[in-house]
Amino acid sequence: MSGSDELAPVLTIDGPSGSGKGSISKRISEKLGWHYLDSGAIYRALGVAAIKNDIDISNEFEIAALIRRIDIEFKQSASGAWAAYLDGEQVQKKLQTEEVGNTASKIAIFPMVRRGLLAKQQGFQKAPGLVADGRDMGSVVFFNARHKVYLTASAEERGKRRYKQLIEKGISANLHNVIEDIEQRDERDKNRSASPLTVPDGAIYIDSSSSTIDEVVQQVLDSLDNK
Ligand code: DC
């Protein structure tokens, strides 16, 4: 399958860490009644598996082989919240840590890893539609998607948002380090040779630095109506 849009319409939302695409994509999928793919969670779950199995994360072959041995699933609880499961174990909380985010970003540079996760991501395309959030949703995984958005914000603004989230969760953090970390992750995500973070052809470009989540959600929904 090649990311064709015939199966069900797809809205791709790509952008760097902290651009707000997670909250915005989720909100839009709820409003449209469409499925939601958090592709970063799949890379993060693989990161959790690599750490757990003590895999050398610079070894592309080992990480690719790991994909074939593990089972990553997303299940909805009675309250409606979705959680990631790795080999049957709930790992949703682990996905949020900085260590796992950085590991995900490092293993995501490998072409064999990206190929190994492709079918899993494309399997989320089901009627009545899909909102897919990631780095290469509109450029690779669903390149035929009907609707594409590239969402960004300045590194400073994204760092401030991330810092606020960490403090709210009771995790101690240093703003300067958080911004530096975001810049390093951007650098890796944009400059890798395999499926780098890029503005997909035909995507609408939204800078959310000075917008609220609600404003961006509305802007994206308006753009769907106009197509
Ligand atoms: O969106 P996120 O922060 O949860 O993603 C974690 C890492 O996974 C990110 O730094 C890069 C990688 N990733 C990717 O390469 N391609 C995607 N479609 C989604 C995430």
Side-chain angles (χ1 to χ4, degrees), residues 71-103:
D71 179 41
I72 300 169
E73 276 181 298
F74 295 91
K75 291 192 229 166
Q76 206 167 15
S77 70
S79 70
W82 287 89
Y85 287 76
L86 175 64
D87 296 329
E89 182 200 344
Q90 223 251 57
V91 291
Q92 189 61 31
K93 261 221 169 111
K94 287 190 187 157
L95 298 193
Q96 315 304 329
T97 66
E98 295 301 288
E99 185 198 8
V100 168
N102 279 321
T103 304

Side-chain angles (χ1 to χ4, degrees), residues 21 39-40 44 105 108 114 135-137 185 189 192:
K21 64 194 161 54
S39 60
R44 283 172 185 260
S105 168
R114 307 201 71 84
R135 304 291 189 289
D136 61 342
M137 298 293 99
R185 203 178 297 180
D189 292 350
R192 65 181 177 222

Side-chain angles (χ1 to χ4, degrees), residues 43-172:
Y43 284 91
R44 283 172 185 260
L46 180 60
V48 171
I51 295 167
K52 189 173 149 197
N53 289 278
D54 216 9
I55 303 279
D56 171 6
I57 60 161
S58 64
N59 188 325
E60 178 171 5
F61 291 93
E62 279 197 35
I63 308 276
L66 180 65
I67 296 175
R68 294 189 288 274
R69 294 205 305 273
I70 59 170
D71 179 41
I72 300 169
E73 276 181 298
F74 295 91
K75 291 192 229 166
Q76 206 167 15
S77 70
S79 70
W82 287 89
Y85 287 76
L86 175 64
D87 296 329
E89 182 200 344
Q90 223 251 57
V91 291
Q92 189 61 31
K93 261 221 169 111
K94 287 190 187 157
L95 298 193
Q96 315 304 329
T97 66
E98 295 301 288
E99 185 198 8
V100 168
N102 279 321
T103 304
S105 168
K106 286 179 187 160
I107 59 184
I109 65 168
F110 297 127
M112 285 172 75
V113 170
R114 307 201 71 84
R115 270 199 305 276
L117 295 178
L118 192 61
K120 176 150 205 81
Q121 296 171 82
Q122 290 178 334
F124 279 75
Q125 185 180 5
K126 290 187 186 130
L130 174 70
V131 179
D133 145 9
R135 304 291 189 289
D136 61 342
M137 298 293 99
S139 56
V140 178
V141 181
F142 301 106
F143 65 90
N144 279 324
R146 196 171 305 174
H147 313 284
K148 299 183 184 182
V149 170
Y150 184 86
L151 184 64
T152 190
S154 67
E156 198 185 336
E157 179 57 32
R158 290 184 284 125
K160 281 187 192 156
R161 290 176 189 168
R162 181 76 192 129
Y163 173 78
K164 196 167 156 247
Q165 281 171 353
L166 291 170
I167 298 299
E168 279 168 5
K169 282 188 203 157
I171 301 169
S172 72

